mmCIF file of all heavy atoms in Angstrom:
data_model
loop_
_atom_site.group_PDB
_atom_site.id
_atom_site.type_symbol
_atom_site.label_atom_id
_atom_site.label_comp_id
_atom_site.label_asym_id
_atom_site.label_seq_id
_atom_site.Cartn_x
_atom_site.Cartn_y
_atom_site.Cartn_z
ATOM 1 N N LEU N 410 -43.714 133.108 -0.711
ATOM 2 C CA LEU N 410 -42.679 133.894 -0.203
ATOM 3 C C LEU N 410 -42.555 133.926 1.327
ATOM 4 O O LEU N 410 -41.676 134.552 1.792
ATOM 5 C CB LEU N 410 -42.885 135.381 -0.640
ATOM 6 C CG LEU N 410 -42.757 135.559 -2.121
ATOM 7 C CD1 LEU N 410 -43.161 136.909 -2.549
ATOM 8 C CD2 LEU N 410 -41.335 135.296 -2.632
ATOM 9 N N ASN N 416 -38.371 138.712 4.640
ATOM 10 C CA ASN N 416 -38.284 140.188 4.579
ATOM 11 C C ASN N 416 -39.791 140.601 4.394
ATOM 12 O O ASN N 416 -40.486 140.057 3.597
ATOM 13 C CB ASN N 416 -37.462 140.668 3.456
ATOM 14 C CG ASN N 416 -37.138 142.172 3.646
ATOM 15 O OD1 ASN N 416 -37.965 142.964 3.665
ATOM 16 N ND2 ASN N 416 -35.896 142.402 3.687
ATOM 17 N N TYR N 418 -41.056 143.040 2.762
ATOM 18 C CA TYR N 418 -41.545 143.422 1.459
ATOM 19 C C TYR N 418 -42.054 142.192 0.669
ATOM 20 O O TYR N 418 -43.022 142.346 -0.111
ATOM 21 C CB TYR N 418 -40.390 144.085 0.665
ATOM 22 C CG TYR N 418 -39.438 143.110 0.054
ATOM 23 C CD1 TYR N 418 -39.690 142.564 -1.178
ATOM 24 C CD2 TYR N 418 -38.243 142.782 0.630
ATOM 25 C CE1 TYR N 418 -38.824 141.664 -1.827
ATOM 26 C CE2 TYR N 418 -37.328 141.885 0.019
ATOM 27 C CZ TYR N 418 -37.671 141.330 -1.207
ATOM 28 O OH TYR N 418 -36.763 140.507 -1.774
ATOM 29 N N SER N 419 -41.479 141.023 0.801
ATOM 30 C CA SER N 419 -41.944 139.856 0.066
ATOM 31 C C SER N 419 -43.393 139.495 0.478
ATOM 32 O O SER N 419 -44.151 139.073 -0.462
ATOM 33 C CB SER N 419 -40.980 138.695 0.309
ATOM 34 O OG SER N 419 -41.003 138.311 1.706
ATOM 35 N N VAL N 439 -39.538 147.356 -4.672
ATOM 36 C CA VAL N 439 -39.060 146.362 -3.711
ATOM 37 C C VAL N 439 -37.578 146.047 -4.024
ATOM 38 O O VAL N 439 -37.122 146.332 -5.125
ATOM 39 C CB VAL N 439 -39.877 145.045 -3.841
ATOM 40 C CG1 VAL N 439 -41.302 145.275 -3.342
ATOM 41 C CG2 VAL N 439 -39.902 144.512 -5.218
ATOM 42 N N PRO N 440 -36.854 145.441 -3.080
ATOM 43 C CA PRO N 440 -35.449 145.029 -3.371
ATOM 44 C C PRO N 440 -35.422 144.070 -4.535
ATOM 45 O O PRO N 440 -36.363 143.299 -4.800
ATOM 46 C CB PRO N 440 -35.027 144.327 -2.014
ATOM 47 C CG PRO N 440 -35.892 145.050 -0.957
ATOM 48 C CD PRO N 440 -37.193 145.297 -1.686
ATOM 49 N N SER N 441 -34.241 144.116 -5.315
ATOM 50 C CA SER N 441 -34.175 143.374 -6.517
ATOM 51 C C SER N 441 -34.111 141.896 -6.270
ATOM 52 O O SER N 441 -34.256 141.059 -7.183
ATOM 53 C CB SER N 441 -32.937 143.863 -7.255
ATOM 54 O OG SER N 441 -33.148 145.134 -7.696
ATOM 55 N N GLY N 442 -33.950 141.469 -4.935
ATOM 56 C CA GLY N 442 -33.932 140.080 -4.623
ATOM 57 C C GLY N 442 -35.216 139.353 -5.024
ATOM 58 O O GLY N 442 -35.250 138.144 -5.130
ATOM 59 N N ILE N 443 -36.321 140.140 -5.183
ATOM 60 C CA ILE N 443 -37.592 139.429 -5.531
ATOM 61 C C ILE N 443 -37.474 138.743 -6.876
ATOM 62 O O ILE N 443 -38.242 137.828 -7.071
ATOM 63 C CB ILE N 443 -38.711 140.522 -5.571
ATOM 64 C CG1 ILE N 443 -40.084 139.841 -5.574
ATOM 65 C CG2 ILE N 443 -38.500 141.490 -6.759
ATOM 66 C CD1 ILE N 443 -40.483 139.146 -4.323
ATOM 67 N N CYS N 444 -36.570 139.194 -7.771
ATOM 68 C CA CYS N 444 -36.481 138.557 -9.041
ATOM 69 C C CYS N 444 -35.194 137.773 -9.266
ATOM 70 O O CYS N 444 -35.062 137.175 -10.342
ATOM 71 C CB CYS N 444 -36.635 139.621 -10.135
ATOM 72 S SG CYS N 444 -35.251 140.833 -10.132
ATOM 73 N N ALA N 445 -34.329 137.708 -8.267
ATOM 74 C CA ALA N 445 -33.077 137.000 -8.447
ATOM 75 C C ALA N 445 -32.636 136.140 -7.328
ATOM 76 O O ALA N 445 -31.894 135.188 -7.536
ATOM 77 C CB ALA N 445 -31.924 138.053 -8.596
ATOM 78 N N ASP N 446 -33.197 136.318 -6.107
ATOM 79 C CA ASP N 446 -32.871 135.447 -5.000
ATOM 80 C C ASP N 446 -33.451 134.019 -5.130
ATOM 81 O O ASP N 446 -34.587 133.827 -5.646
ATOM 82 C CB ASP N 446 -33.388 136.020 -3.680
ATOM 83 C CG ASP N 446 -32.614 137.213 -3.184
ATOM 84 O OD1 ASP N 446 -31.553 137.503 -3.856
ATOM 85 O OD2 ASP N 446 -32.989 137.816 -2.240
ATOM 86 N N ARG N 447 -32.714 133.051 -4.628
ATOM 87 C CA ARG N 447 -33.131 131.657 -4.712
ATOM 88 C C ARG N 447 -34.447 131.412 -3.981
ATOM 89 O O ARG N 447 -35.286 130.684 -4.438
ATOM 90 C CB ARG N 447 -32.050 130.765 -4.300
ATOM 91 C CG ARG N 447 -32.292 129.207 -4.503
ATOM 92 C CD ARG N 447 -31.120 128.403 -4.133
ATOM 93 N NE ARG N 447 -30.029 128.666 -5.087
ATOM 94 C CZ ARG N 447 -29.868 128.114 -6.310
ATOM 95 N NH1 ARG N 447 -30.804 127.292 -6.748
ATOM 96 N NH2 ARG N 447 -28.868 128.445 -7.056
ATOM 97 N N THR N 448 -34.566 132.091 -2.803
ATOM 98 C CA THR N 448 -35.731 131.855 -1.940
ATOM 99 C C THR N 448 -37.016 132.412 -2.683
ATOM 100 O O THR N 448 -38.088 131.948 -2.416
ATOM 101 C CB THR N 448 -35.578 132.467 -0.594
ATOM 102 O OG1 THR N 448 -35.282 133.920 -0.707
ATOM 103 C CG2 THR N 448 -34.464 131.802 0.231
ATOM 104 N N ALA N 449 -36.834 133.369 -3.530
ATOM 105 C CA ALA N 449 -37.943 133.978 -4.208
ATOM 106 C C ALA N 449 -38.217 133.294 -5.568
ATOM 107 O O ALA N 449 -39.142 133.642 -6.298
ATOM 108 C CB ALA N 449 -37.781 135.415 -4.446
ATOM 109 N N ALA N 450 -37.313 132.375 -5.943
ATOM 110 C CA ALA N 450 -37.391 131.778 -7.285
ATOM 111 C C ALA N 450 -38.800 131.138 -7.576
ATOM 112 O O ALA N 450 -39.323 131.350 -8.665
ATOM 113 C CB ALA N 450 -36.299 130.676 -7.487
ATOM 114 N N PHE N 452 -41.768 131.915 -6.593
ATOM 115 C CA PHE N 452 -42.663 132.968 -6.936
ATOM 116 C C PHE N 452 -42.428 133.643 -8.192
ATOM 117 O O PHE N 452 -43.309 133.723 -9.027
ATOM 118 C CB PHE N 452 -42.658 134.017 -5.782
ATOM 119 C CG PHE N 452 -43.280 135.357 -6.181
ATOM 120 C CD1 PHE N 452 -44.626 135.499 -6.164
ATOM 121 C CD2 PHE N 452 -42.519 136.390 -6.622
ATOM 122 C CE1 PHE N 452 -45.305 136.638 -6.487
ATOM 123 C CE2 PHE N 452 -43.104 137.616 -6.966
ATOM 124 C CZ PHE N 452 -44.480 137.755 -6.916
ATOM 125 N N PHE N 453 -41.164 134.081 -8.390
ATOM 126 C CA PHE N 453 -40.871 134.822 -9.660
ATOM 127 C C PHE N 453 -41.008 133.879 -10.942
ATOM 128 O O PHE N 453 -41.484 134.367 -11.971
ATOM 129 C CB PHE N 453 -39.527 135.440 -9.607
ATOM 130 C CG PHE N 453 -39.282 136.473 -10.685
ATOM 131 C CD1 PHE N 453 -39.849 137.700 -10.579
ATOM 132 C CD2 PHE N 453 -38.534 136.150 -11.784
ATOM 133 C CE1 PHE N 453 -39.664 138.636 -11.608
ATOM 134 C CE2 PHE N 453 -38.389 137.079 -12.833
ATOM 135 C CZ PHE N 453 -38.963 138.334 -12.690
ATOM 136 N N LEU N 465 -40.123 145.077 -15.434
ATOM 137 C CA LEU N 465 -39.176 144.856 -14.351
ATOM 138 C C LEU N 465 -37.946 145.740 -14.600
ATOM 139 O O LEU N 465 -37.178 145.574 -15.597
ATOM 140 C CB LEU N 465 -38.676 143.380 -14.430
ATOM 141 C CG LEU N 465 -37.621 142.944 -13.411
ATOM 142 C CD1 LEU N 465 -38.031 143.087 -11.995
ATOM 143 C CD2 LEU N 465 -37.190 141.501 -13.662
ATOM 144 N N ASP N 467 -34.682 147.328 -12.733
ATOM 145 C CA ASP N 467 -33.784 147.186 -11.595
ATOM 146 C C ASP N 467 -32.827 148.406 -11.573
ATOM 147 O O ASP N 467 -32.181 148.770 -12.576
ATOM 148 C CB ASP N 467 -32.994 145.907 -11.835
ATOM 149 C CG ASP N 467 -31.758 145.799 -10.938
ATOM 150 O OD1 ASP N 467 -31.894 145.507 -9.778
ATOM 151 O OD2 ASP N 467 -30.583 146.035 -11.502
ATOM 152 N N PHE N 468 -32.769 149.023 -10.379
ATOM 153 C CA PHE N 468 -31.927 150.297 -10.221
ATOM 154 C C PHE N 468 -30.889 150.046 -9.137
ATOM 155 O O PHE N 468 -31.126 149.278 -8.145
ATOM 156 C CB PHE N 468 -32.827 151.462 -9.803
ATOM 157 C CG PHE N 468 -33.744 151.976 -10.842
ATOM 158 C CD1 PHE N 468 -35.015 151.382 -11.059
ATOM 159 C CD2 PHE N 468 -33.351 153.078 -11.675
ATOM 160 C CE1 PHE N 468 -35.849 151.852 -12.040
ATOM 161 C CE2 PHE N 468 -34.188 153.473 -12.657
ATOM 162 C CZ PHE N 468 -35.436 152.922 -12.873
ATOM 163 N N PHE N 488 -27.219 149.424 -2.515
ATOM 164 C CA PHE N 488 -28.446 148.632 -2.522
ATOM 165 C C PHE N 488 -29.124 148.675 -3.909
ATOM 166 O O PHE N 488 -29.159 149.719 -4.456
ATOM 167 C CB PHE N 488 -29.408 149.027 -1.398
ATOM 168 C CG PHE N 488 -30.403 147.985 -1.051
ATOM 169 C CD1 PHE N 488 -30.082 147.004 -0.233
ATOM 170 C CD2 PHE N 488 -31.680 148.090 -1.550
ATOM 171 C CE1 PHE N 488 -31.034 146.031 0.121
ATOM 172 C CE2 PHE N 488 -32.632 147.120 -1.203
ATOM 173 C CZ PHE N 488 -32.323 146.099 -0.393
ATOM 174 N N LYS N 489 -29.721 147.532 -4.318
ATOM 175 C CA LYS N 489 -30.365 147.531 -5.567
ATOM 176 C C LYS N 489 -31.851 147.243 -5.327
ATOM 177 O O LYS N 489 -32.247 146.373 -4.547
ATOM 178 C CB LYS N 489 -29.783 146.450 -6.483
ATOM 179 C CG LYS N 489 -28.378 146.739 -6.907
ATOM 180 C CD LYS N 489 -27.750 145.618 -7.675
ATOM 181 C CE LYS N 489 -28.180 145.529 -9.089
ATOM 182 N NZ LYS N 489 -29.384 144.691 -9.333
ATOM 183 N N PHE N 490 -32.717 147.965 -5.994
ATOM 184 C CA PHE N 490 -34.183 147.806 -5.848
ATOM 185 C C PHE N 490 -34.745 147.830 -7.280
ATOM 186 O O PHE N 490 -34.124 148.140 -8.304
ATOM 187 C CB PHE N 490 -34.774 148.967 -5.090
ATOM 188 C CG PHE N 490 -34.702 150.317 -5.677
ATOM 189 C CD1 PHE N 490 -35.793 150.757 -6.438
ATOM 190 C CD2 PHE N 490 -33.576 151.092 -5.530
ATOM 191 C CE1 PHE N 490 -35.663 152.057 -7.056
ATOM 192 C CE2 PHE N 490 -33.500 152.327 -6.124
ATOM 193 C CZ PHE N 490 -34.593 152.791 -6.874
ATOM 194 N N CYS N 491 -36.077 147.428 -7.422
ATOM 195 C CA CYS N 491 -36.640 147.329 -8.751
ATOM 196 C C CYS N 491 -38.096 147.843 -8.654
ATOM 197 O O CYS N 491 -38.753 147.793 -7.588
ATOM 198 C CB CYS N 491 -36.538 145.959 -9.296
ATOM 199 S SG CYS N 491 -37.645 144.766 -8.444
ATOM 200 N N LEU N 493 -41.332 146.568 -9.804
ATOM 201 C CA LEU N 493 -41.952 145.296 -10.244
ATOM 202 C C LEU N 493 -43.416 145.539 -10.552
ATOM 203 O O LEU N 493 -44.207 145.980 -9.728
ATOM 204 C CB LEU N 493 -41.772 144.270 -9.132
ATOM 205 C CG LEU N 493 -42.427 142.896 -9.407
ATOM 206 C CD1 LEU N 493 -41.752 142.172 -10.640
ATOM 207 C CD2 LEU N 493 -42.472 141.990 -8.176
ATOM 208 N N THR N 540 -35.591 132.885 -12.733
ATOM 209 C CA THR N 540 -35.286 134.215 -12.168
ATOM 210 C C THR N 540 -34.817 135.137 -13.291
ATOM 211 O O THR N 540 -34.614 134.667 -14.415
ATOM 212 C CB THR N 540 -34.278 134.186 -11.040
ATOM 213 O OG1 THR N 540 -33.142 133.383 -11.367
ATOM 214 C CG2 THR N 540 -34.965 133.599 -9.741
ATOM 215 N N ALA N 541 -34.518 136.379 -12.970
ATOM 216 C CA ALA N 541 -34.185 137.394 -13.941
ATOM 217 C C ALA N 541 -32.732 137.170 -14.479
ATOM 218 O O ALA N 541 -31.885 136.450 -13.826
ATOM 219 C CB ALA N 541 -34.327 138.782 -13.390
#
Side-chain angles (χ1 to χ4, degrees):
L410 294 171
N416 193 301
Y418 83 82
S419 62
V439 294
S441 295
I443 193 68
C444 64
D446 287 353
R447 186 172 296 277
T448 54
F452 164 79
F453 193 77
L465 178 61
D467 165 77
F468 291 86
F488 198 80
K489 293 173 79 267
F490 67 93
C491 69
L493 176 66
T540 50

